[in-house]
């Protein structure tokens, strides 16, 4: 019996396979938070713990795409360029309001995408505005 519990501890020590120690992992990562909704599934809770655990920080497009993937979302990101003299023809032009805006393009999940939006609002650079488009 003790050997079986020792083996289970190895499983619980990994945030991607934990069940019994999930509340402790969540507390360590500052979770649960209101973003996950009133009754997230075990898999959703585990994914959020794992995303925060593996987060090494960053502000690049590849960072946010990889972070979303750890949350279970395959996304793309669109950045905008304000109109300036000498722009290459064929590129979209936007006003000054778009200097610090970017858009996350994600598939609409069966459940709400609150976790994705909340995590990105928490991690995005403070001077930027992030928009979400779901297809």
């Amino acid at each position: 019996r003790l050997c079986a519990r020792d083996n289970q501890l190895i499983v619980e020590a990994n945030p991607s396979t934990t069940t019994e120690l999930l509340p402790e992992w969540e507390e360590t990562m500052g979770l649960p938070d209101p973003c996950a909704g009133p009754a997230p599934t075990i898999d959703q809770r585990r994914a959020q713990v794992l995303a925060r655990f593996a987060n090494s920080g960053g502000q690049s497009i590849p960072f946010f795409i990889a972070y979303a993937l750890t949350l279970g979302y395959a996304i793309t990101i669109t950045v905008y360029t304000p109109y300036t003299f000498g722009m290459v023809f064929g590129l979209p032009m936007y006003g000054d309001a778009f200097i610090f805006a970017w858009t996350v393009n994600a598939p609409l999940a069966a459940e709400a995408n609150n976790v994705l939006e909340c995590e990105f609002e928490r991690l995005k650079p403070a001077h930027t505005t992030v928009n979400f488009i779901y297809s």
Side-chain angles (χ1 to χ4, degrees):
R1 184 179 59 94
L2 290 175
C3 184
R5 291 303 293 163
D6 283 346
N7 290 338
Q8 184 61 31
L9 185 58
I10 294 170
V11 172
E12 295 296 324
N14 185 339
S16 66
T17 57
T18 188
T19 301
E20 288 180 46
L21 294 180
L22 185 56
E24 283 78 6
W25 277 107
E26 288 174 320
E27 184 179 349
T28 301
M29 300 296 146
L31 296 168
D33 59 18
C35 299
T41 66
I42 295 291
D43 289 336
Q44 290 169 328
R45 291 170 56 198
R46 198 179 290 132
Q48 198 173 10
V49 166
L50 190 58
R52 288 199 182 178
F53 181 74
N55 178 9
S56 60
Q59 295 182 347
S60 67
I61 291 172
F63 164 76
F64 281 101
I65 290 172
Y67 191 78
L69 200 54
T70 61
L71 288 171
Y73 298 93
I75 66 164
T76 60
I77 294 178
T78 304
V79 293
Y80 304 97
T81 304
Y83 176 76
T84 58
F85 182 75
M87 281 199 57
V88 177
F89 288 105
L91 292 178
M93 294 180 281
Y94 301 93
D96 291 340
F98 283 87
I99 292 174
F100 302 111
W102 49 293
T103 299
V104 173
N105 308 290
L108 184 60
E111 64 279 345
N113 291 321
N114 292 344
V115 172
L116 178 67
E117 291 185 19
C118 197
E119 288 289 328
F120 272 48
E121 286 292 337
R122 186 179 68 79
L123 292 173
K124 73 176 182 65
H127 67 284
T128 66
T129 301
V130 60
N131 303 300
F132 294 88
I133 295 178
Y134 298 104
S135 57

